[in-house]
Amino acid sequence: RRYLTTLNAANGKFFGPVARYDDGATQSYHGMLLSVQKRLSKGTSLSANYTLSHCIGNFADINANGPPADETYINPNNRNFDRGNCDIDRRHLFNLTASGQTPKFNNKTVNMLASGWRLSGIYRYNAGAPINVNYNTTDRALNGTLRQRPNLVSGVNPYGDTSGGPNTAYLNPAAFALPALGTFGNLGWNALTGPGTWSPDT
């Protein structure tokens, strides 16, 4: 809106927020998949796989349903200012599946009750999703865009209590500071990583 107002003050004031997009953005993905498998023998089987990957790209539609007006490049003149870890980036993925079957027993009653049972378990671990730290209500760059990013304070760990306990602050607020008026923050897009998740299933 501000850009349109500077071009034509008389008509620019009638516009609301306007997002700028183009089709020149790119994303790149590199990954390595390792897997091991133990076929069924003596009633047990095991399968595991691990993926190490990294996706880097330009800013993309957050909601995947058509970008609203406040989802745009922070610096309209530099698309690569919003280049960083993709929203889908998960650096580490691990899956483990194990299965065991009870053997046959000599005792007829025990064999009838206890043999042939199969127990299976699945364990999955996902590394954390990227975190884009921003302030949505303050226009420090004085260019009318929202979701501007702060400065990362030099020498201060941006992570707080990463133990995952209740009522803990995962990020350290002291590590972030507002940039000077008319400037952009130095923290990159999706520069931080959230906590990983794991889940068992039997």
Side-chain angles (χ1 to χ4, degrees):
R1 176 181 181 178
R2 292 189 184 187
Y3 178 71
L4 297 177
T5 302
T6 58
L7 292 178
N8 188 324
N11 294 320
K13 63 184 179 181
F14 297 112
F15 283 86
V18 178
R20 178 180 179 180
Y21 278 84
D22 59 57
D23 58 359
T26 61
Q27 290 187 341
S28 61
Y29 173 87
H30 299 276
M32 175 184 67
L33 172 63
L34 303 175
S35 63
V36 295
Q37 184 176 21
K38 176 185 178 296
R39 298 184 182 277
L40 183 64
S41 63
K42 297 183 180 180
T44 62
S45 64
L46 184 143
S47 175
N49 60 71
Y50 166 73
T51 302
L52 173 64
S53 64
H54 192 193
C55 177
I56 300 176
N58 295 105
F59 171 85
D61 178 15
I62 295 174
N63 297 320
N65 60 358
D70 62 346
E71 286 187 29
T72 187
Y73 301 130
I74 301 302
N75 183 349
N77 299 315
N78 183 7
R79 178 177 58 225
N80 289 326
F81 184 74
D82 292 317
R83 186 171 179 84
N85 297 317
C86 304
D87 288 336
I88 62 170
D89 184 57
R90 304 292 185 275
R91 203 63 52 88
H92 305 280
L93 299 175
F94 176 74
N95 295 283
L96 173 66
T97 302
S99 176
Q101 181 175 320
T102 57
K104 292 185 177 181
F105 298 94
N106 293 327
N107 184 286
K108 183 178 180 180
T109 303
V110 175
N111 186 66
M112 183 176 61
L113 295 175
S115 67
W117 289 92
R118 178 176 291 275
L119 177 64
S120 299
I122 302 173
Y123 173 83
R124 178 179 178 86
Y125 170 79
N126 290 346
I131 298 176
N132 183 40
V133 179
N134 62 77
Y135 42 91
N136 202 29
T137 59
T138 303
D139 181 11
R140 302 293 292 183
L142 303 178
N143 69 348
T145 61
L146 300 178
R147 294 189 171 92
Q148 296 177 20
R149 296 185 296 274
N151 282 329
L152 184 63
V153 179
S154 177
V156 180
N157 184 0
Y159 296 100
D161 186 348
T162 59
S163 64
N167 301 319
T168 58
Y170 183 77
L171 297 180
N172 177 14
F176 309 100
L178 292 176
L181 287 174
T183 65
F184 297 100
N186 61 21
L187 183 65
W189 178 56
N190 281 352
L192 304 180
T193 304
T197 60
W198 60 272
S199 62
D201 189 11
T202 56

